[in-house]
Amino acid sequence: MKATQTLHEHGQSIWLDNITRGMLDSGQLQHYIDKYAVTGLTSNPSIFDKAIESGYYDDAIREKSGTGLSDEELFFELAFEDLRRTADEFLPMHERTDGVDGWASLEVSPLLAYDTAATIEAAKTLHARAARANLLIKIPGTAEGLPAITECIASGVPVNVTLLFSAEQYRAAADAYLTGVERRLERQLDPAVGSVASVFMSRWDAAVAGSVPEELKDQLGLAVGLTTYRAYRRLMDSDRVQRVQNSGGRMQRLLWASTRTKDPAASDTLYVHGLAAPFTINTMPDATLEAFYDHGEVGEPMPADGGDSEATLARFRDAGVDVAALAAKLQSDGAKSFVASWNDLVHRISVQRAAVT
């Protein structure tokens, strides 16, 4: 049995961190579903930027360019077409798991990361336009994003909380989600609104590369992952979550993101085999998925108590790493990076539009 199937049977969902129209047209996505146990998909501006640069979308851009849409509006039209098809491919899984799995994701404009009201409006609009029950709207877990998450969940909009880097940031996102669910219960609305909390892994190790002793190389991300998983399991067992579940609500699932190994000397499946745990998700780019399918191994699941993560983090503190400060910096830098990627994407649309019209 391939490692991807073994991981799936151990209770972790495998999602693909990529989307292209070519992948849909060629049947590659369905192949991943059938052979690689892929049960969901995430997307982001960089992914769409690379896909559009390939020229595969030129006919669609030419067709839509005469409709008076702005470059940003044109992008969303293209994205909706792809993600509706993607959501439809995952719909059987979504229905079979009663809404637990089988999701696709679309991001609100990263330009809104620090604007609560605009994020809420955009998320509601995007979800309504997509018209797919199994489409998550990605909202960053910034201080301004948290109340937007609560309001969207309270309004019945499924949310993928992005840009989380630590247990503390995860707990804040989980609280925002649960508050939204509790508001639905107060209004006697269906509390089963889907959500995942996406915690980014590889950026931790990239951030300290070259500044810590060799024996600590490529260990920070997994240590942070362990402390986050411990927080997740404790919350799962809390009275608050039990009350919500008793009323028909659900636990927001933990998702491991940014799982491509950036250190060429490290295992290319480092953030897969090191983050295996039931009732979680690992979203992987194609290369990581292919590597894990080819030669991955599934060992013991992550310990619910965090294992030796505190001792590892103490060694990083002794080496001069302020983990809390670095988490805040990674989130801030991530938001800036998303804005830059978004601007590149909109510029790409403009360039391709000019070229084909």
Side-chain angles (χ1 to χ4, degrees):
M1 184 184 297
K2 289 294 186 178
T4 49
Q5 184 64 35
T6 301
L7 192 63
H8 175 77
E9 294 190 1
H10 277 56
Q12 184 174 65
S13 297
I14 297 172
W15 288 9
L16 179 68
D17 190 25
N18 192 17
I19 183 172
T20 68
R21 189 160 298 186
M23 183 184 298
L24 293 166
D25 290 346
S26 69
Q28 181 66 36
L29 179 58
Q30 190 62 53
H31 175 71
Y32 282 148
I33 294 171
D34 296 338
K35 300 297 183 182
Y36 289 59
V38 168
T39 58
L41 179 147
T42 51
S43 68
N44 61 51
S46 292
I47 287 171
F48 276 111
D49 185 18
K50 292 175 183 175
I52 291 168
E53 183 184 16
S54 71
Y56 202 90
Y57 292 76
D58 285 357
D59 289 344
I61 291 173
R62 183 183 300 108
E63 179 183 338
K64 297 177 185 299
S65 289
T67 58
L69 298 173
S70 69
D71 293 331
E72 181 175 302
E73 291 168 338
L74 177 53
F75 158 68
F76 277 118
E77 285 296 312
L78 298 172
F80 279 133
E81 290 179 350
D82 286 359
L83 287 167
R84 287 183 188 121
R85 291 175 62 186
T86 300
D88 290 345
E89 293 207 30
F90 286 116
L91 187 59
M93 172 60 67
H94 189 73
E95 293 177 339
R96 187 160 62 249
T97 60
D98 193 25
V100 173
D101 214 339
W103 293 91
S105 297
L106 173 66
E107 191 162 352
V108 297
S109 167
L111 301 178
L112 308 179
Y114 300 105
D115 188 331
T116 302
T119 295
I120 293 170
E121 181 181 358
K124 290 181 178 180
T125 298
L126 291 175
H127 186 254
R129 286 178 61 191
R132 293 296 185 274
N134 58 330
L135 182 71
L136 296 162
I137 303 301
K138 297 175 78 172
I139 298 176
T142 57
E144 293 81 2
L146 296 174
I149 292 160
T150 295
E151 174 57 29
C152 287
I153 294 296
S155 300
V157 176
V159 174
N160 177 343
V161 184
T162 67
L163 280 181
L164 303 175
F165 288 89
S166 66
E168 291 73 20
Q169 291 175 4
Y170 159 70
R171 280 191 286 263
D175 176 72
Y177 166 73
L178 287 169
T179 301
V181 171
E182 289 161 349
R183 289 183 186 176
R184 289 186 68 79
L185 288 170
E186 291 170 2
R187 301 168 189 169
Q188 297 186 325
L189 299 172
D190 181 2
V193 181
S195 183
V196 300
S198 298
V199 182
F200 289 44
M201 289 287 98
S202 65
R203 299 187 187 190
W204 280 100
D205 293 313
V208 298
S211 62
V212 295
E214 185 68 20
E215 62 268 20
L216 292 179
K217 189 176 181 181
D218 297 320
Q219 292 189 38
L220 183 54
L222 294 182
V224 170
L226 280 165
T227 62
T228 304
Y229 183 63
R230 179 181 61 196
Y232 177 64
R233 291 294 295 265
R234 286 179 176 174
L235 181 61
M236 198 182 298
D237 293 336
S238 69
D239 289 350
R240 184 184 188 187
V241 167
Q242 299 299 317
R243 286 194 297 269
V244 163
Q245 291 181 327
N246 193 61
S247 299
R250 289 179 172 165
M251 181 73 182
Q252 177 191 54
R253 281 204 295 169
L254 182 61
L255 179 150
W256 306 117
S258 186
T259 58
R260 179 180 67 83
T261 304
K262 292 180 169 57
D263 178 5
S267 167
D268 53 3
T269 64
L270 175 65
Y271 304 107
V272 183
H273 65 250
L275 296 168
F279 200 60
T280 64
I281 304 158
N282 194 308
T283 185
M284 315 174 199
D286 300 62
T288 304
L289 175 64
E290 295 281 2
F292 192 69
Y293 178 84
D294 178 67
H295 53 263
E297 296 181 0
V298 180
E300 292 298 314
M302 301 174 75
D305 63 0
D308 61 357
S309 57
E310 289 300 335
T312 302
L313 292 179
R315 295 172 68 194
F316 276 96
R317 285 191 289 270
D318 291 343
V321 177
D322 185 331
V323 176
L326 182 54
K329 183 178 186 302
L330 286 170
Q331 187 176 70
S332 176
D333 289 349
K336 294 174 184 175
S337 174
F338 278 17
V339 167
S341 296
W342 181 260
N343 289 334
D344 288 345
L345 169 62
V346 174
H347 178 68
R348 177 76 58 197
I349 291 284
S350 177
V351 169
Q352 296 293 106
R353 193 174 196 168
V356 300
T357 58

